[in-house]
Amino acid sequence: MKIFTIIFFSLFCSLSAQRTVDAEFLNLHDADHLFADDYGNIYIYRNKDFSFTKYDSLGTQRGKLMFTLPFKIQSVQNPLNIPAFSENAQEIRFYDQNLNERQKLDFSQKFGFIKMAYAEDQQTIWLLEESTKRLLQYNFREDRLINSFPFNIGFEDITDLIVYENTAYILTKNAVTSYNFQTQKLFEIPLANPLKLRRDNGNILVVQQHKVSVIRNDSLKTLLQADEAQIVDKNSASYFEIRGNKLYLYPINN
């Protein structure tokens, strides 16, 4: 597999040409989460200061958020509408392509304690309400609760959620588990260092520290294995890997 290397040292090499830029983001070693959209933009989240920064394919900073509380960035698949959820603040925010806030929803006045939120589209959010052990489907455009399902599972270790085709995929610190809406466990797969779930069209992906996998037939099929990586991610065309102070891009061969 051919590897294109984008070196962050004193310059940033784009995929088509090399160009020297003034790069303030060289300290990739302290990046905790990597995101890549389908337009060549890279996003870095750092736990140490709750910052979220966007760079274009030439290394130019295009936006930066400095949260006062930890936020979980759900996805940048639609860079015009980026959801971010904070369990601490009990709110979800939506950001545009320049990381300007488009909308903010405060759950504290309407629901019990929300452990996790998943924005399915631009009008529907799925919520795990820990205080009542429920899975909620909420239309925030109409401010209307569509469905409420009893969801009697352990909430304390949940780190991510995706709901797709009447199935809830739950990520914890050491496993990914799927449930139907009657809280029947469909499968459970043990994991090491899981970071996030991602829906890629009809596929559910599991991103670990060194690996990107797809759920197939109640098991995981590895798409990218990078044992020396600090973080990995993918968009529709490429896999990304941060290793040392470099970002590596691996084109996906369809």
Side-chain angles (χ1 to χ4, degrees):
M1 184 186 299
K2 185 176 181 182
I3 303 175
F4 297 91
T5 306
I6 306 172
I7 304 176
F8 296 92
F9 189 73
S10 59
L11 52 84
F12 186 105
C13 306
S14 74
L15 301 184
S16 59
Q18 187 173 13
R19 178 183 174 187
T20 302
V21 299
D22 182 14
E24 299 178 345
F25 57 100
L26 300 179
N27 295 321
L28 288 176
H29 64 274
D30 66 355
D32 295 289
H33 297 279
L34 166 70
F35 302 86
D37 67 24
D38 288 342
Y39 300 92
N41 301 303
I42 301 297
Y43 306 74
I44 298 294
Y45 184 88
R46 292 178 169 88
N47 291 334
K48 70 175 186 179
D49 58 1
F50 311 140
S51 65
F52 182 61
T53 312
K54 175 182 179 179
Y55 308 98
D56 66 18
S57 60
L58 299 178
T60 303
Q61 182 175 307
R62 293 300 182 184
K64 186 172 185 177
L65 298 173
M66 296 295 297
F67 296 113
T68 57
L69 293 169
F71 270 78
K72 176 179 176 54
I73 309 301
Q74 176 182 306
S75 170
V76 298
Q77 286 176 286
N78 178 4
L80 303 179
N81 193 55
I82 300 173
F85 168 70
S86 173
E87 179 183 350
N88 300 70
Q90 287 292 286
E91 64 184 33
I92 193 167
R93 302 176 185 177
F94 295 92
Y95 294 92
D96 66 14
Q97 69 272 25
N98 298 313
L99 301 190
N100 296 315
E101 186 179 300
R102 299 177 64 246
Q103 187 174 4
K104 179 169 66 175
L105 303 174
D106 183 355
F107 299 134
S108 62
Q109 302 301 316
K110 190 171 186 64
F111 302 105
F113 186 82
I114 300 300
K115 178 65 177 182
M116 191 60 60
Y118 170 64
E120 181 178 31
D121 49 38
Q122 297 191 42
Q123 65 178 11
T124 305
I125 297 176
W126 291 89
L127 303 169
L128 281 174
E129 189 178 52
E130 184 173 22
S131 53
T132 59
K133 298 284 188 178
R134 294 188 300 168
L135 175 66
L136 308 175
Q137 186 182 22
Y138 173 56
N139 186 317
F140 63 92
R141 296 295 183 196
E142 300 176 1
D143 190 21
R144 178 171 60 92
L145 187 63
I146 302 172
N147 283 303
S148 173
F149 304 99
F151 220 68
N152 190 24
I153 66 171
F155 277 59
E156 56 276 0
D157 292 328
I158 293 174
T159 59
D160 207 356
L161 163 73
I162 284 181
V163 180
Y164 181 62
E165 292 190 337
N166 299 322
T167 302
Y169 297 86
I170 304 292
L171 190 69
T172 62
K173 297 176 181 179
N174 53 24
V176 58
T177 309
S178 72
Y179 298 89
N180 61 24
F181 289 165
Q182 289 73 48
T183 327
Q184 296 172 323
K185 184 185 293 187
L186 304 179
F187 66 80
E188 183 174 46
I189 304 171
L191 295 172
N193 301 314
L195 296 178
K196 61 185 176 182
L197 298 174
R198 174 178 168 181
R199 186 167 75 86
D200 188 3
N201 296 318
N203 296 318
I204 304 298
L205 306 183
V206 179
V207 179
Q208 298 168 257
Q209 184 174 1
H210 307 299
K211 185 187 299 187
V212 179
S213 305
V214 61
I215 296 176
R216 292 276 169 80
N217 300 320
D218 301 347
S219 62
L220 290 183
K221 177 184 177 182
T222 299
L223 302 178
L224 172 69
Q225 178 81 41
D227 291 335
E228 301 301 320
Q230 176 185 340
I231 316 172
V232 294
D233 195 38
K234 75 176 292 292
N235 61 14
S236 62
S238 305
Y239 299 106
F240 294 81
E241 169 194 347
I242 289 180
R243 179 160 30 102
N245 210 34
K246 301 178 182 179
L247 176 66
Y248 296 86
L249 180 151
Y250 303 80
I252 296 174
N253 298 317
N254 295 318

